[in-house]
Amino acid sequence: MVSSGPFQAIRFPYPEPLQGRGFWGQQTSTLNWCEEDYILTHYCAELCNTLTNLAFLYLGFRGIRSCLRQSHDKIFLIAYGGYVLVGLGSIAFHASLKYPMQLWDELSMIYTTCLMMFASFSYSRSALFSTVFGLGLLGLSAFISIYYHTTKDPEFHQTAYGILTAIVVLHGIRTIRTMWAMIAVGLSVFLCGFLVWNLDNIYCSQIRRWRREIGLPWAVFLEGHGWWHLLTGLGMAILDLAPLHSSMH
């Protein structure tokens, strides 16, 4: 792919897979990604996929700080806390490739989106509506958790997450009529991340060959799942959290 040019000015050979098991032992998760396991360090199964989740932590803690400084409603503080929970869960999953950590990663995405939905729909509504709606979301979260743990079907999880996210986004579009440009940017960034993630899955074998050809540090730019974290983190911060901000004003 690349035999000369700027990539050769600073280039280190791409490592060979480590012999034996990594620090966290045998994989028990039902999913794995295109980043080669334990290729860069013995202590982390997918180093790039792990570190890119720092974006979720940054955005979550930044939102929490904003809520505390401006004394916003506690539900928004909880929603931003959920964002941090997603980042921590994804870090634990990609670092270890253990099934319990996978559940933490994937189910926290569902719970956080439900929190955002509750914050967005129940703001300035009656106590009765908020209670009934909250109980409904709690039941929905429990159903998704049990069904996914039972079937271990990734398509079910992705569909459920996509539907919940779409509801939050559509509600935000309906209520934030003066923020169409912001919604368009957030959706474009999110979809770009989704596209990169799928290309990473489909062309994984070819991408792994390219990484070895160009070497380090350039190979890390071909970690598509890592780009999914960065782009969706940014996109969802706009799509999910902007509606919450609109409700504050």
Side-chain angles (χ1 to χ4, degrees):
M1 176 183 176
V2 178
S3 58
S4 61
F7 290 104
Q8 300 301 308
I10 302 176
R11 181 185 184 279
F12 301 95
Y14 202 75
E16 293 298 325
L18 297 174
Q19 297 298 320
R21 295 180 181 177
F23 177 79
W24 298 98
Q26 185 177 2
Q27 171 191 339
T28 59
S29 63
T30 62
L31 297 173
N32 204 338
W33 310 105
C34 192
E35 181 175 356
E36 296 183 55
D37 299 345
Y38 296 103
I39 195 70
L40 297 178
T41 173
H42 172 75
Y43 298 99
C44 183
E46 298 176 347
L47 184 62
C48 293
N49 289 346
T50 299
L51 294 180
T52 48
N53 281 290
L54 294 177
F56 287 89
L57 300 186
Y58 169 75
L59 292 168
F61 282 121
R62 182 178 178 180
I64 290 173
R65 184 178 63 178
S66 176
C67 286
L68 293 175
R69 284 183 174 180
Q70 302 180 42
S71 300
H72 291 313
D73 194 286
K74 289 183 179 179
I75 187 60
F76 301 114
L77 186 65
I78 295 173
Y80 278 113
Y83 219 63
V84 174
L85 186 66
V86 169
L88 292 175
S90 191
I91 286 174
F93 170 38
H94 290 291
S96 66
L97 293 180
K98 293 295 186 179
Y99 180 66
M101 301 301 102
Q102 178 186 345
L103 287 180
W104 178 6
D105 174 27
E106 296 180 324
L107 293 181
S108 65
M109 295 166 61
I110 299 294
Y111 303 153
T112 298
T113 305
C114 284
L115 280 172
M116 293 175 177
M117 184 182 296
F118 178 79
S120 183
F121 279 84
S122 66
Y123 189 79
S124 297
R125 301 294 293 271
S126 68
L128 177 60
F129 175 88
S130 298
T131 300
V132 174
F133 187 62
L135 290 175
L137 288 176
L138 186 63
L140 177 62
S141 299
F143 167 75
I144 293 174
S145 301
I146 295 171
Y147 187 85
Y148 180 57
H149 179 59
T150 302
T151 63
K152 297 180 174 60
D153 182 2
E155 292 187 1
F156 169 76
H157 169 266
Q158 293 164 12
T159 300
Y161 175 66
I163 292 174
L164 291 173
T165 300
I167 292 174
V168 174
V169 171
L170 291 174
H171 180 262
I173 292 175
R174 185 177 66 84
T175 57
I176 314 175
R177 299 186 184 279
T178 61
M179 299 178 67
W180 289 105
M182 190 175 186
I183 295 296
V185 170
L187 186 59
S188 297
V189 171
F190 178 84
L191 291 177
C192 183
F194 184 76
L195 174 63
V196 171
W197 175 35
N198 278 275
L199 291 175
D200 190 62
N201 291 334
I202 296 171
Y203 299 105
C204 180
S205 298
Q206 181 62 52
I207 291 171
R208 285 185 174 182
R209 288 196 294 270
W210 287 347
R211 290 181 196 145
R212 293 187 173 278
E213 289 181 20
I214 65 176
L216 294 171
W218 316 110
V220 299
F221 292 101
L222 295 179
E223 295 291 354
H225 197 79
W227 282 110
W228 154 259
H229 290 157
L230 295 174
L231 293 172
T232 54
L234 177 60
M236 293 312 297
I238 299 172
L239 291 173
D240 283 346
L241 302 181
L244 303 186
H245 278 301
S246 71
S247 299
M248 299 175 187
H249 301 294

